[in-house]
Amino acid sequence: MPRINLLPWRENLRKQRQRTFVKHAGLAFALTLGAVVLGHVVVQGQIDNQEQRNAFLTQTIADLDRQIAEIKALKETRANLVARMEVIERLQQTRSYVVHAFDEIARTVPEGIILTKVALKNDQQLEINGISDTAARVADYLRNLNRTQWLSNASIVGTGILAQDLSKPGSQPPAPGVKGEYAFNITAQFSPPAAAGGANGEEARKP
């Protein structure tokens, strides 16, 4: 007589499979959740680290910008000091030029000419105003100025006019005690001799 197993083995097998599935699903969920949490922690850590680096870089850039601004200010100050030193050195080297130039102006004045104004412009250009009794003396004075060692390019101001005739109506009267009837305006340039410039430079460099 055949033996019949009456136990619900199929039901038990199905339940066992369900339990195994639930166990595996729970384990997979736990592993997935752990991986997600771990990934989040790692990513957040990298973000925090990068933010710290960014903050450090920002602070470093700000410090460098401040240092660059200070360097620019120092360079500007240095440039100003160098410019002042150059001006002082140039003045020291050329301090005797003006004395020589004015000496030449006075020494070359012919008789019959009185200077009414001598002005220095731009440290190089001289403007000479005066009164003469004849126009020829103005021409002589102009030639004398151009022959000096300290002046050059002396010329009459005006277009083709040697001197203004003060005897004409509307002209300014001559200075008291002056017989001159011609007013003139001459411009000239400083032109110190090379040897004098070198000598002054030597003196400027001596302690």
Side-chain angles (χ1 to χ4, degrees), residues 81-95 200-205:
L81 291 176
V82 169
R84 292 181 182 179
M85 290 175 61
E86 290 177 351
V87 171
I88 293 173
E89 184 178 359
R90 186 167 61 252
L91 290 175
Q92 186 175 3
Q93 292 177 355
T94 60
R95 59 187 175 182
N200 287 336
E202 297 274 342
E203 294 176 358
R205 286 191 291 270

Side-chain angles (χ1 to χ4, degrees), residues 95-165:
R95 59 187 175 182
S96 63
Y97 289 4
V98 176
V99 177
H100 287 288
F102 278 85
D103 180 67
E104 294 286 351
I105 291 172
R107 192 167 52 84
T108 54
V109 175
E111 294 184 1
I113 286 183
I114 292 181
L115 301 182
T116 58
K117 177 183 177 183
V118 178
L120 177 63
K121 296 182 178 180
N122 301 325
D123 296 333
Q124 290 183 344
Q125 186 176 8
L126 275 171
E127 182 178 347
I128 306 170
N129 296 339
I131 298 175
S132 174
D133 55 356
T134 64
R137 293 190 187 278
V138 180
D140 291 339
Y141 186 41
L142 190 63
R143 285 192 293 270
N144 292 341
L145 289 175
N146 282 320
R147 283 197 295 263
T148 63
Q149 295 181 345
W150 295 89
L151 298 174
S152 64
N153 298 328
S155 60
I156 293 287
V157 176
T159 305
I161 300 175
L162 179 61
Q164 177 186 1
D165 189 352

Side-chain angles (χ1 to χ4, degrees), residues 7 16 26-27 34 44-45 51 60 65 71 91 100 107 117 119 136 144 148 157 174 182 184 191 193 196 199 201:
L7 295 176
Q16 184 178 359
L27 182 60
Q44 187 63 38
E51 288 179 350
T60 303
D65 290 339
I71 291 173
L91 290 175
H100 287 288
R107 192 167 52 84
K117 177 183 177 183
N144 292 341
T148 63
V157 176
Y182 295 91
F184 61 89
S191 180

